Each structure stands twice: as C-alpha cells, then as structure tokens.
Amino acid sequence: MEQAKTHLNRAHGILMAAVTGEGQLPPLETRRVIARLLIEAEEWHNALDVLNSILADNEEDAEIWYLTAFCQFSSKNRKETQEALTTMAKVMEKHKIDDPEIAAAAKELESKLENLGEEDEEMEGSDDGFETCSDEDDEDA
C-alpha cells in the first residue's frame, strides 16, 4: 500500500504542477481516476486538490461535488462538507440528474454530519463536574 501511495502522491505532484502552469493538465477522466484512488488511499487533502482542479474546469459534475463533500467530511471540515453537499444537490436539480446511488450516499453523509452536530450539542450541555474559571478567578490566584 505504501508503494501505491508513493506513486499516487507523485501523480498528484505532477498534476498540481500542471495546475500551476508547469505542464498540460491530464484529461478530466484521468483526474477523476486519480482523485478516486487518492480517496481510496485516504489521502484527503491531495484528493481535494485534484477534485478542485476538476471543478475549476466543470462545476456541474454532481459526482465530483459528492466526492468533495466526502473528502471534506473525512478531513473534519463540516462547513465545507455542507457547502459541497448543497452545491451537489443544486447541480442535480438543475440538470435533472436522477442518480439514486449518489443521492443515497449524499443522504448518508448528511446524516453523519447531523449526528456529529448533535454530539457537539450534547457535549456543550453536559455537566462534567468541572467548574469554569473566569479571568477574575485567575487574577485572584
């Protein structure tokens, strides 16, 4: 697996050099495959770089928006996850895309995102037995 990651990261480097103008970008489908492989290798940030390069050429690709949301979620970026899911839904509606697989995956991701939000609320409201300390308390010490 490490050798595969090494080759994927090399491909990512070449692709990012092309994005900055140091070469010709590979076709969209090649970048799509590289992004999926990076996701499989859990290389979230590199996958996001590749996905963003695709979105720069085509903002109307619902699958790429879903993959972007998935990477953002895996990177613990909740706001960006929600934004990508919202954009994906708008693209699907605009182009009347009926893809049950992507819709189901997006719904599952939204559910996970909501559950994380509920867990945060529970943590904020929990009484853990510790007293909070104000700045005034610090000055008294």
Side-chain angles (χ1 to χ4, degrees):
M1 183 65 163
E2 284 305 312
Q3 188 176 16
K5 282 187 177 185
T6 299
H7 291 296
L8 279 171
N9 286 323
R10 186 176 304 139
H12 169 263
I14 292 167
L15 196 143
M16 290 300 99
V19 166
T20 61
E22 298 176 20
Q24 185 175 355
L25 276 172
L28 287 174
E29 194 54 39
T30 301
R31 287 184 272 163
R32 182 185 303 268
V33 169
I34 292 170
R36 286 182 184 145
L37 291 171
L38 286 164
I39 290 167
E40 286 294 320
E42 297 181 1
E43 294 285 335
W44 313 123
H45 296 291
N46 289 347
L48 281 167
D49 286 343
V50 177
L51 293 167
N52 287 329
S53 82
I54 296 169
L55 291 172
D57 288 341
N58 179 11
E59 292 182 335
E60 301 295 311
D61 190 321
E63 180 188 15
I64 297 303
W65 280 111
Y66 169 75
L67 293 174
T68 299
F70 182 83
C71 287
Q72 292 289 7
F73 180 82
S74 298
S75 297
K76 300 181 180 16
N77 298 323
R78 293 182 193 172
K79 181 180 177 187
E80 291 85 352
T81 301
Q82 189 59 57
E83 289 172 0
L85 287 170
T86 299
T87 303
M88 183 207 78
K90 288 177 182 177
V91 167
M92 289 182 76
E93 184 177 324
K94 178 181 177 181
H95 296 286
K96 297 178 177 37
I97 298 170
D98 183 26
D99 187 330
E101 189 175 324
I102 289 178
K107 188 172 185 170
E108 181 180 342
L109 194 56
E110 285 176 340
S111 176
K112 288 179 181 180
L113 195 60
E114 287 173 13
N115 288 339
L116 284 177
E118 290 171 8
E119 288 175 15
D120 285 349
E121 288 174 13
E122 288 174 15
M123 293 296 286
E124 288 173 9
S126 71
D127 183 9
D128 56 9
F130 292 102
E131 291 183 35
T132 57
C133 180
S134 69
D135 290 337
E136 291 172 3
D137 293 337
D138 288 342
E139 292 171 5
D140 294 338

